[in-house]
Amino acid sequence: MKIEKEDLDQTACTVHHLAIRDTMELLSGKWKLRIVGSLSFGKKRFMGLKANIDGIAAKMLSKELQELELNGLITRTVLNTKPTTVEYELTAYGHSLKPVIDVIADWGTQHRKKIIDEMKL
Amino acid sequence: MKIEKEDLDQTACTVHHLAIRDTMELLSGKWKLRIVGSLSFGKKRFMGLKANIDGIAAKMLSKELQELELNGLITRTVLNTKPTTVEYELTAYGHSLKPVIDVIADWGTQHRKKIIDEMKL
DNA sequence: TTTCATGGTTTCCTGTAGGTAACCGGTTTC
DNA sequence: GAAACCGGTTACCTACAGGAAACCATGAAA
């Protein structure tokens, strides 16, 4: 049985697809990438995140944080303060997403420039 | 008025957020990234894409392709064949997404490895 | 003349993502 | 004892993303 170039492409392509799907599933939802992006600037508390991420409701923030923690991307630390404060921080694994976030943010930045330039014409 | 480090962080962070949101809006939906990923291997026809992207329905493919074309990421070329065939191809701008796709696919690949390794324990 | 292929569109239906708003428990401050 | 702050949870609601299946026009082939 001969292996055609098409087959190789097909295989490479399938793996590619699986990988993309995996990443996007982990980062699914409107807010996860934003939360990770926010935390990539340093650890933050619940209210800090809520203030930092414009428009997010407490319910969503709490839910998304739980999923991120389940997936080992962030840690949740309850501090012994009064009133109780909770710190969220990227794990090492969470930090491994930095290249992903950065390249997405970079593309978005230059895309926004392009759109603005086009408006000026 | 003094500019604090926090303010700078805040500004950097806001821009970051906008950029992330912009990119993700363009690539929103379950299939767009997969379509672009598929086309990054070379131009394809409608049926080729449908076969290549496991599970996508014609309706979704057609809809997503329209949006991608509107955003200038792909071109649609109707060929003078019988039966009519249509070629979809990434534009130069679409190709500029390659680093984004690649880094997402790379992360997904190593994430999948990690999960499999953890299962072996 | 019936069937097959291409590249779709249309209709119908459903799950769920995500929004709003009220509420909660513990603690400190007024 | 009322109000405020933190970090949530709960209940309720709905718009829309997305799936399934049927349908359509064109033309070639059988």
Side-chain angles (χ1 to χ4, degrees):
Chain A
M1 178 184 163
K2 204 180 145 209
I3 295 176
E4 307 285 346
K5 183 176 176 300
E6 280 173 41
D7 298 331
L8 290 175
D9 281 359
Q10 189 69 28
T11 305
C13 207
T14 301
V15 171
H16 206 247
H17 278 308
L18 283 177
I20 291 174
R21 213 195 45 199
D22 287 349
T23 306
M24 297 318 282
E25 249 165 42
L26 234 87
L27 299 175
S28 69
K30 193 173 171 182
W31 303 108
K32 253 163 241 151
L33 217 42
R34 312 265 306 270
I35 294 173
V36 175
S38 190
L39 288 177
S40 77
F41 283 81
K43 61 182 159 190
K44 287 197 175 57
R45 292 184 311 162
F46 190 85
M47 286 307 187
L49 281 169
K50 194 169 175 324
N52 190 236
I53 302 174
D54 194 47
I56 196 170
K59 186 188 95 173
M60 289 309 295
L61 181 53
S62 149
K63 205 195 73 184
E64 303 281 66
L65 285 170
Q66 281 171 29
E67 293 183 29
L68 289 173
E69 196 193 357
L70 264 178
N71 283 316
L73 297 176
I74 63 172
T75 54
R76 178 178 184 275
T77 315
V78 180
L79 300 180
N80 233 354
T81 54
K82 315 289 168 151
T84 328
T85 53
V86 181
E87 260 178 16
Y88 292 93
E89 189 172 13
L90 285 190
T91 59
Y93 199 50
H95 276 293
S96 77
L97 274 172
K98 192 156 195 314
V100 179
I101 308 269
D102 283 350
V103 81
I104 288 175
D106 287 351
W107 196 88
T109 303
Q110 74 94 348
H111 178 64
R112 178 165 281 251
K113 268 200 201 101
K114 190 193 158 211
I115 299 293
I116 290 173
D117 285 352
E118 282 170 3
M119 281 169 48
K120 285 182 188 158
L121 295 182
Chain B
M1 176 181 165
K2 204 178 145 211
I3 295 177
E4 307 286 347
K5 182 175 176 300
E6 280 174 42
D7 299 331
L8 291 175
D9 280 359
Q10 189 69 29
T11 305
C13 207
T14 301
V15 170
H16 206 246
H17 277 308
L18 283 177
I20 291 175
R21 213 196 44 199
D22 287 349
T23 305
M24 296 318 282
E25 249 164 44
L26 232 87
L27 299 176
S28 69
K30 193 172 169 180
W31 303 107
K32 252 164 241 147
L33 216 42
R34 310 266 306 271
I35 295 172
V36 176
S38 191
L39 288 177
S40 77
F41 283 81
K43 61 181 159 190
K44 288 197 175 55
R45 293 183 308 162
F46 190 84
M47 286 308 187
L49 281 169
K50 192 166 175 329
N52 191 235
I53 301 173
D54 193 48
I56 196 170
K59 186 188 95 174
M60 289 310 294
L61 182 53
S62 150
K63 205 196 74 188
E64 303 283 64
L65 285 170
Q66 281 171 30
E67 292 181 30
L68 290 172
E69 196 192 356
L70 264 178
N71 283 316
L73 297 177
I74 63 172
T75 54
R76 178 176 184 277
T77 316
V78 180
L79 299 181
N80 234 353
T81 53
K82 314 289 168 156
T84 328
T85 52
V86 181
E87 260 179 16
Y88 291 94
E89 190 172 12
L90 285 190
T91 60
Y93 198 50
H95 276 295
S96 76
L97 274 173
K98 193 159 194 312
V100 179
I101 307 270
D102 282 349
V103 81
I104 288 175
D106 287 350
W107 196 89
T109 303
Q110 74 94 348
H111 177 63
R112 178 166 281 251
K113 267 199 203 102
K114 190 192 158 213
I115 298 294
I116 290 173
D117 284 352
E118 281 170 3
M119 281 170 49
K120 285 182 189 159
L121 296 182

